[in-house]
Amino acid sequence: MNQEQIKLLIDALAASDLSELEYIENGCTLRLVKSSALREAATPRQVPAPTRAQAPGLGAPTKIGSVALVAPRAECLAPLYGVVHLHPSPGEPAFVAPGQRVTCGQTLCVIEAMKVFNEVRADADALVQSVLVQSGEEVEAGQPLFVFG
C-alpha cells in the first residue's frame, strides 16, 4: 500500500455516505473512520489536564445564513493515533492558543503517525477555550485535543 492509494481511499471515504472503510492488501489492513463516527463512538471520560485533533471535529456546526457557528463547549477530537505537534516547528509559536479565535479550515495541530504528518483543522469558526494536550504527547483516536466555546 502506498501513499497515493491511501490518499485515494481517504478521498473516497470523504465523498461517500460511509462512516468507516477497511482495506486489506498483502496482509496489511488500513481502517479509516470519519470523525463524526469517532465522536459518536467516544465515551465520556475524564481527561488529565493537560494531556491527536475533528478527532478532528468541533462538533456539529450550525449554519446561520453563511456563518457556521459551533455549539458551546464543543471538542476537537484526534482523528487517529499518533504524536501531536502543537507548533509548526521547534521555536515557532503554537498553531493556536487558548482565547484565540479560529476560522473554519485553520490548522489546529499536526498529528504524526508512521512518519506522515496529518493536519487537524477546525471544522467551523470557534473560540479556543483550552488545549488538552502537550506537544510530543501520544494521543489515541477519539481523544479530545481542544475545547471550544
Side-chain angles (χ1 to χ4, degrees):
M1 215 175 318
N2 62 38
Q3 267 187 312
E4 280 186 39
Q5 288 175 308
I6 294 170
K7 173 115 175 70
L8 288 171
L9 290 169
I10 291 170
D11 292 342
L13 178 62
S16 75
D17 290 335
L18 297 173
S19 61
E20 53 186 272
L21 171 86
E22 189 168 287
Y23 179 77
I24 301 171
E25 179 183 290
N26 298 331
C28 293
T29 302
L30 174 68
R31 183 169 178 258
L32 303 172
V33 180
K34 283 187 181 177
S35 61
S36 57
L38 286 174
R39 234 181 281 118
E40 293 168 9
T43 57
R45 61 186 174 92
Q46 188 171 1
V47 177
T51 49
R52 201 230 230 257
Q54 231 222 230
L58 299 175
T62 304
K63 287 275 192 181
I64 299 178
S66 63
V67 178
L69 301 175
V70 176
R73 303 289 303 171
E75 290 181 334
C76 174
L77 306 177
L80 70 159
Y81 169 84
V83 177
V84 70
H85 299 281
L86 299 175
H87 305 268
S89 61
E92 290 192 28
F95 288 107
V96 296
Q100 180 180 341
R101 191 156 280 291
V102 294
T103 59
C104 184
Q106 181 175 343
T107 301
L108 303 172
C109 67
V110 174
I111 297 179
E112 179 184 1
M114 295 174 40
K115 305 287 185 198
V116 176
F117 293 87
N118 304 279
E119 290 187 347
V120 177
R121 297 179 178 265
D123 286 342
D125 295 352
L127 177 67
V128 178
Q129 292 284 324
S130 59
V131 179
L132 304 174
V133 293
Q134 295 178 355
S135 254
E137 181 180 332
E138 287 186 16
V139 295
E140 296 290 331
Q143 178 179 334
L145 302 173
F146 302 92
V147 175
F148 299 95

